Amino acid sequence: RRCVQETAYREGIHFKIPYFDCPHIFDIRTKPKEIATQTANRDLQTVSISLRVLYRPNTTKLQELFRLLGTNYDERVLPSIINETLKSIVAQYSAVQLLSQRDQVSLKIRKALEERAKSFYIILDDVSITHLSYGKDFAAAVERKQVAQQIAERAKFIVEKAAEDKKSIIIKAQAQAVSTELIGRAIRDNPAYIDLKRIETARDVANIISESKNNIYLNSDTLLMNLNTLVTSTNIGQKAPGQK
């Protein structure tokens, strides 16, 4: 490697001196590589994350790349710097932030990896998170949280319903009080109001008995239908025509 030429040859036909020149071929096309690892976030929860990178060697620094790492530079560098970068950045975010700010986390990982890979003469064309998940403990915690939220919402609904029922009872009581007051005024101002209510009640009782299939025999007093008494009581306070 100490005798590496300072000139890198592109693809094509080239001459070499037998026993003195030995070509080392680099694939300069963009290639994908996916690294999966487990790390801890800010809440010390285990995170399983997979990162996919598209990389290629810096064609202007192939001599330095060969002297430093050889042709298998990707196997020697990418796994270590990707794992180190993922662990350092994921540890800065909580579980909720990793899920809700995935694009921001991916962008931060890409910038950090580009800076690290640049020192090894590697160019990264794209960096993306392909998989992000948590363990069973996190899933169970999320489920417990959802159940607790549902219970809290149900308790809130019950409290609100009880308050509305209380308001309804108060309104009904107030309406009943007003109705009672109006009936009292009607009885005081017009005594015949009671007789009118007795006639309406007798009519309702008669309708119910008429629709029954059983034969029922009741006197007029029981049915509240003794209209002669009503007429007599009504005419007691009335004077005959011509009387003074």
Side-chain angles (χ1 to χ4, degrees):
R1 295 185 180 180
R2 296 179 181 178
C3 300
V4 177
Q5 296 182 1
E6 297 299 328
T7 302
Y9 296 95
R10 298 183 62 86
E11 62 273 9
I13 299 176
H14 304 281
F15 295 97
K16 72 171 183 176
I17 301 176
Y19 304 106
F20 290 96
D21 293 339
C22 180
H24 298 277
I25 300 175
F26 276 86
D27 187 357
I28 60 174
R29 295 175 298 179
T30 300
K31 294 183 292 183
K33 190 174 188 64
E34 185 169 346
I35 302 294
T37 185
Q38 287 188 344
T39 182
N41 62 1
R42 191 174 63 188
D43 302 327
L44 301 181
Q45 295 173 336
T46 303
V47 182
S48 298
I49 184 170
S50 297
L51 194 72
R52 181 177 181 270
V53 297
L54 297 178
Y55 68 96
R56 56 186 172 87
N58 188 348
T59 55
T60 61
K61 300 290 183 179
L62 289 179
Q63 298 87 346
E64 289 82 356
L65 180 60
F66 180 75
R67 290 193 186 99
L68 183 64
L69 299 171
T71 55
N72 60 340
Y73 63 93
D74 53 343
E75 297 293 338
R76 301 178 64 179
V77 172
L78 290 180
S80 60
I81 64 173
I82 289 176
N83 276 286
E84 181 182 355
T85 303
L86 286 176
K87 293 179 183 297
S88 63
I89 293 180
V90 169
Q92 302 174 11
Y93 293 88
S94 64
V96 177
Q97 290 175 335
L98 287 175
L99 295 175
S100 61
Q101 303 176 12
R102 184 166 177 167
D103 294 339
Q104 180 179 347
V105 175
S106 179
L107 180 61
K108 194 170 183 178
I109 292 174
R110 176 173 182 172
K111 290 182 179 180
L113 278 178
E114 286 177 348
E115 291 297 325
R116 291 294 310 277
K118 187 184 298 184
S119 60
F120 296 100
Y121 313 111
I122 300 174
I123 298 174
L124 301 181
D125 293 330
D126 183 64
V127 176
S128 59
I129 299 175
T130 58
H131 177 72
L132 180 63
S133 64
Y134 293 89
K136 296 181 179 179
D137 295 338
F138 178 78
V142 171
E143 185 177 356
R144 288 194 299 268
K145 182 179 179 180
Q146 292 177 347
V147 172
Q149 289 177 346
Q150 292 176 358
I151 294 175
E153 291 294 331
R154 180 173 178 81
K156 181 180 178 181
F157 171 77
I158 292 174
V159 172
E160 292 177 352
K161 185 176 182 299
E164 292 297 327
D165 292 342
K166 182 179 179 181
K167 291 180 181 179
S168 177
I169 292 173
I170 293 174
I171 293 173
K172 289 180 180 179
Q174 292 174 347
Q176 186 68 28
V178 173
S179 176
T180 303
E181 183 180 357
L182 293 176
I183 292 173
R185 291 178 183 178
I187 295 173
R188 182 185 61 198
D189 298 339
N190 187 6
Y193 179 78
I194 297 178
D195 296 335
L196 177 62
K197 288 298 181 181
R198 291 182 64 186
I199 293 172
E200 291 178 353
T201 303
R203 182 183 60 189
D204 295 337
V205 172
N207 290 334
I208 294 173
I209 293 175
S210 64
E211 294 176 357
S212 177
K213 296 181 180 181
N214 300 324
N215 295 327
I216 301 175
Y217 298 95
L218 299 173
N219 56 30
S220 59
D221 293 332
T222 305
L223 297 177
L224 301 176
M225 294 180 65
N226 193 353
L227 299 181
N228 294 328
T229 305
L230 296 178
V231 174
T232 303
S233 63
T234 304
N235 293 332
I236 290 175
Q238 298 180 357
K239 296 181 179 180
Q243 293 181 353
K244 295 183 179 180

